[in-house]
Amino acid sequence: MMPSLPEGYRALIIGSSGTIGSAFLELLQSDPRCSHAIGIHRQSSPAINYADEASIAIAAEALASSGPFHLIINAIGVLHTDTWSPEKKGADLCFGQLEAIFKINAFGPAVTLSKFSSLLAKANAIMAVISAKVGSIEDNRLGGWYSYRASKAALNMLLKTTAIELRRTQPNTKLIALHPGTVNSRLSKPFKGEQIGRPAIDAARDMLAVLNQLPLSESGSFYSYSGEKLPW
Ligand SMILES: NC(=O)c1ccc[n+]([C@@H]2O[C@H](COP(=O)([O-])OP(=O)(O)OC[C@H]3O[C@@H](n4cnc5c(N)ncnc54)[C@H](OP(=O)(O)O)[C@@H]3O)[C@@H](O)[C@H]2O)c1
């Protein structure tokens, strides 16, 4: 797996307690070419919790001695919470939901990109965040899901902007936003995820293949698990 990365490469999965995050970790831990694959989440040590901004920098600092990492993937994200379900119409919009969803899907991942990029191997590294095709402004045909769509669109912009900066400061880093497809998970369960979603392990395998194949020149782009380049 990941032949574009050096033999003995090191990987970090952020949000490894999630369905897709744990699938990434399982695949990487079973790859004989990967010498070190670890995961962090809200209950791990160090922990990362987007309800606590400081936890992001503390986790990055705690992991500095375990690096450098050739591959970092952030699979944290929410569509619904105990309090909030995706909005069906504009009348459902409120600051509370927008803030809660943006914090986890956009603010947290953006600050994570910033704090964790220094842990990447300088000569050759990939950093990815799991976005969602419904965050594509151009592809929005159905409407609805205001906060989730907008938070993923914001995430995409924050990733693109970070990629432009990294092109100057860490020119051998490939930074990619990924769409996993519909996956059977906690997140998709209330939305027929079990019927229409596929196993996370298949989605994770496909996304690793995409990350591996993309040239460095594609850093700052949005790709589907299928290898299709998605419009912003
Ligand atoms: N499933 C799909 O069909 C689908 C489609 C498109 C995009 N995605 C994206 O794929 C990513 C992974 O989703 P999934 O399907 O694997 O969902 P999941 O099983 O619900 O996993 C979500 C992950 O996010 C973490 N998380 C939630 N709130 C957090 C917070 N405040 N701070 C830190 N971590 C937090 C969870 O941690 P805990 O274990 O502690 O709750 C878990 O690790 C998300 O970004 C999602 O938007 C999924």
Side-chain angles (χ1 to χ4, degrees):
M1 229 169 6
M2 307 304 288
S4 70
L5 295 177
E7 177 73 36
Y9 71 90
R10 304 165 76 80
L12 169 65
I13 304 301
I14 301 171
S16 60
S17 58
T19 316
I20 295 175
S22 60
F24 275 123
L25 191 60
E26 187 185 328
L27 287 172
L28 293 162
Q29 285 179 336
S30 67
D31 179 7
R33 293 188 68 256
C34 180
S35 64
H36 189 64
I38 56 171
I40 58 168
H41 50 83
R42 282 196 278 199
Q43 311 299 335
S44 61
S45 179
I48 186 160
N49 186 341
Y50 288 164
D52 172 17
E53 182 182 350
S55 73
I56 305 171
I58 293 168
E61 213 174 295
L63 288 169
S65 57
S66 308
F69 295 96
H70 301 88
L71 176 64
I72 298 180
I73 302 175
N74 187 351
I76 289 175
V78 286
L79 170 58
H80 56 89
T81 67
D82 291 344
T83 315
W84 308 110
S85 300
E87 307 91 342
K88 292 198 170 118
K89 50 191 189 314
D92 299 335
L93 275 169
C94 68
F95 278 21
Q97 181 161 3
L98 283 159
E99 277 170 9
I101 303 299
F102 265 70
K103 201 177 232 184
I104 299 171
N105 289 351
F107 301 176
V111 173
T112 303
L113 286 177
S114 147
K115 302 293 181 204
F116 280 71
S117 56
S118 60
L119 271 57
L120 291 166
K122 296 284 174 277
N124 179 3
I126 302 170
M127 201 175 192
V129 296
I130 311 302
S131 182
K133 195 175 175 181
V134 298
S136 166
I137 293 174
E138 206 172 323
D139 189 67
N140 186 354
R141 278 165 268 203
L142 291 174
W145 291 17
Y146 285 77
S147 303
Y148 185 71
R149 284 185 187 278
S151 67
K152 292 293 191 181
L155 168 65
N156 288 348
M157 175 57 95
L158 290 158
L159 174 134
K160 172 83 185 186
T161 305
T162 305
I164 290 168
E165 183 176 336
L166 288 186
R167 210 169 286 156
R168 290 193 299 269
T169 55
Q170 292 176 228
N172 298 316
T173 293
K174 201 159 63 179
L175 184 53
I176 303 291
L178 287 170
H179 168 58
T182 304
V183 172
N184 180 9
S185 76
R186 270 190 284 160
L187 178 144
S188 63
K189 201 173 166 88
F191 309 93
K192 296 197 190 146
E194 266 163 309
Q195 292 101 298
I196 60 173
R198 63 188 186 132
I201 203 87
D202 295 343
R205 195 179 291 109
D206 285 349
M207 288 188 279
L208 287 176
V210 170
L211 290 177
N212 180 62
Q213 280 159 20
L214 287 177
L216 192 54
S217 55
E218 283 304 289
S219 185
S221 301
F222 186 19
Y223 272 86
S224 170
Y225 68 92
S226 60
E228 180 196 356
K229 187 169 183 167
L230 298 172
W232 295 117

